[in-house]
Amino acid sequence: HPSAAHPSAAHPSAAHPPDNVRMSSTTSLDRAKIKVLLLESVHESAIRTFAAEGYTSVTARPGSLAPAELARAVADAHILGIRSRTKIPAEVIAAAPKLIAIGCFSIGTNQVDLDAAQAAGIPVFNAPFSNTRSVAELVIGEIVMLCRGIPERSAAAHRGEWVKTVGGATEVRGKTLGIVGYGHIGTQVGLLAEALGMRVVFHDVETKLALGNAAAVDRLSALLERSDVVTLHVPETRQTRGMIGARELAQMRPGAHLINASRGTVVDIDALAQALEARHLAGAAIDVFPSEPSASGEEFRSPLRRFDNVILTPHIGGNTVEAQEGIGSEVAAKLIRYSDNGSTLTAVNFPEVALPEHPGKHRLLHIHRNEPGVLAQVNGVLSRSGINIASQYLETAGKVGYAVIDVDGIDRPLSLALKKELDAIAATIRTRVLY
């Protein structure tokens, strides 16, 4: 539970400005000098958002970088923005001493070593909602295409064959859709599927409120046994890796379809190929794979390429103009709020604190190892300097503590001296000062 160590402290969940409200605070470094590196063709909306707030030192590059090249590129960067291809291991984080925040312009954050980023005092932000509709629409389109047998008929037509037989083509109305993972995307898929007349069941490891007429199913095996189409919308965790293997595929109805637009490690691709070869499944649609090309010119390899009844897409579930524009502005706004204000709300690896503005105050941001007595040492430094604390916030998560202290107006030389003293505390990871 968040604790306040000063009588005048406000609660960490105090109101924070919405994304479209310009911050009035300034950083310890002029915004124009804060270097932002954006990789993988992050949408122009991110650059516009940074520019509108005075962040003009923005470098945008079209592709991902290998770790060694990336380590050189981030050596003097303060903010790093990536999508899903760029990997951020501990070595890259260690090579970026100025880095204060990482933005994943995607839903997932598994491309970043989150523990290493936390240990370095670097919050990681993402966009968990912005491409929800785009993924859901792709899945609905694939449900219709699979049930009508369109992939096979389209492939045949490309070869000059005319396959006009009914041959298993069905309407989706009245069919049962099983959703594994009933989060933001899963619920949207369910509502859209119901609008098409489908019956919707779902399975989730957590208790979720059913929307529309959807019904929860306690066991994954029960969902697989009763569904005409199974669609997967789970994160990548130890529990979800390989969760759909030979046993689970055998539990699916003969003639059913499988859709995976979640994470590539969730489905055993070789087992899926065997189920398709045996014609136990009538088709599948796969957007994510255990191993994906790192560049557009690299050949995509998969045992599923030989099946006409499988829709293969190159990890494009969220790749729409609308989704990428929304992701660009959303993640950029989070990075700006942290840089300007210290707010960490929705950070995936960091103590979450929503902060008000601090007009007329200096704001000290002290990131430290989560050990007893650190806040007392911080306050001791302020007390010895005769500094009055206007408000104070503290939140911890895992091995990291985050103290935010607003102090009455002090001049810059004194604030820099304070920073040096705070940096000298043994548990300190890093200190920032916002003027």
Side-chain angles (χ1 to χ4, degrees), residues 4-361:
H6 189 272
S8 62
H11 193 278
S13 61
H16 59 283
D19 289 350
N20 61 352
V21 175
R22 185 183 178 99
M23 295 291 188
S24 63
S25 58
T26 58
T27 62
S28 53
L29 182 64
D30 186 271
R31 288 187 180 97
K33 296 180 180 179
I34 294 177
K35 295 184 178 181
V36 181
L37 175 62
L38 303 178
L39 301 178
E40 302 184 70
S41 300
V42 167
H43 195 274
E44 178 70 24
S45 62
I47 301 172
R48 292 197 301 265
T49 302
F50 278 114
E53 296 297 331
Y55 289 78
T56 55
S57 184
V58 178
T59 300
R61 301 180 61 161
S64 60
L65 299 175
E69 187 179 359
L70 180 59
R72 292 191 293 271
V74 300
D76 63 346
H78 299 93
I79 295 173
L80 173 63
I82 61 171
R83 293 177 66 190
S84 58
R85 283 184 181 172
T86 302
K87 307 302 180 186
I88 311 293
E91 308 83 71
V92 169
I93 293 170
K98 297 181 181 179
L99 197 63
I100 64 168
I102 296 173
C104 293
F105 289 76
S106 58
I107 289 181
T109 57
N110 57 306
Q111 64 271 46
V112 179
D113 187 329
L114 297 178
D115 291 336
Q118 184 189 74
I122 300 172
V124 177
F125 300 92
N126 67 335
F129 314 118
S130 290
N131 68 359
T132 297
R133 179 70 183 201
S134 296
V135 178
E137 285 188 1
L138 175 66
V139 170
I140 291 297
E142 290 174 336
I143 291 171
V144 175
M145 298 280 278
L146 289 171
C147 287
R148 290 294 301 271
I150 298 300
E152 288 177 284
R153 288 165 171 79
S154 176
H158 278 279
R159 294 191 295 265
E161 304 169 17
W162 196 247
V163 183
K164 198 178 178 181
T165 57
V166 173
T170 66
E171 293 182 349
V172 300
R173 181 176 52 177
K175 303 301 183 295
T176 298
L177 174 65
I179 301 173
V180 182
Y182 200 62
H184 304 297
I185 296 174
T187 52
Q188 284 286 304
V189 170
L191 291 172
L192 293 173
E194 281 195 357
L196 293 175
M198 299 190 79
R199 293 186 292 268
V200 177
V201 295
F202 67 89
H203 173 73
D204 200 292
V205 293
E206 298 178 1
T207 301
K208 296 290 182 69
L209 173 66
L211 301 184
N213 296 312
V217 177
D218 290 338
R219 293 178 294 108
L220 175 61
S221 59
L223 179 142
L224 299 174
E225 291 167 359
R226 63 189 288 187
S227 300
D228 299 294
V229 182
V230 174
T231 182
L232 309 174
H233 301 286
V234 296
E236 183 178 49
T237 66
R238 283 178 293 180
Q239 290 73 33
T240 63
R241 290 190 188 105
M243 71 179 296
I244 303 297
R247 182 182 65 177
E248 289 75 22
L249 293 167
Q251 291 170 342
M252 292 179 64
R253 283 184 176 183
H257 305 275
L258 177 70
I259 298 174
N260 184 21
S262 59
R263 290 290 175 262
T265 58
V266 173
V267 176
D268 182 332
I269 296 296
D270 291 328
L272 175 58
Q274 292 174 13
L276 291 162
E277 191 75 56
R279 297 192 176 274
H280 176 64
L281 296 187
I286 307 297
D287 185 55
V288 289
F289 304 86
S291 177
E292 299 179 357
S294 58
S296 57
E298 183 180 334
E299 183 181 1
F300 165 63
R301 299 178 181 275
S302 173
L304 301 179
R305 284 173 50 181
R306 69 181 188 271
F307 297 102
D308 286 350
N309 56 341
V310 176
I311 301 172
L312 299 174
T313 49
H315 204 150
I316 56 168
N319 280 17
T320 62
V321 172
E322 295 86 351
Q324 293 307 310
E325 183 174 6
I327 289 171
S329 56
E330 177 186 345
V331 177
K334 292 178 180 181
L335 293 167
I336 291 167
R337 184 182 295 118
Y338 176 65
S339 177
D340 283 0
N341 179 258
S343 289
T344 54
L345 198 65
T346 74
V348 300
N349 68 327
F350 212 74
E352 291 189 62
V353 182
L355 300 167
E357 295 187 39
H358 54 285
K361 310 289 183 186

Side-chain angles (χ1 to χ4, degrees), residues 3-9 375 379 389 392-394:
S3 60
H6 189 272
S8 62
L375 193 59
N379 288 337
I389 298 174
Q392 191 171 74
Y393 315 80
L394 173 67

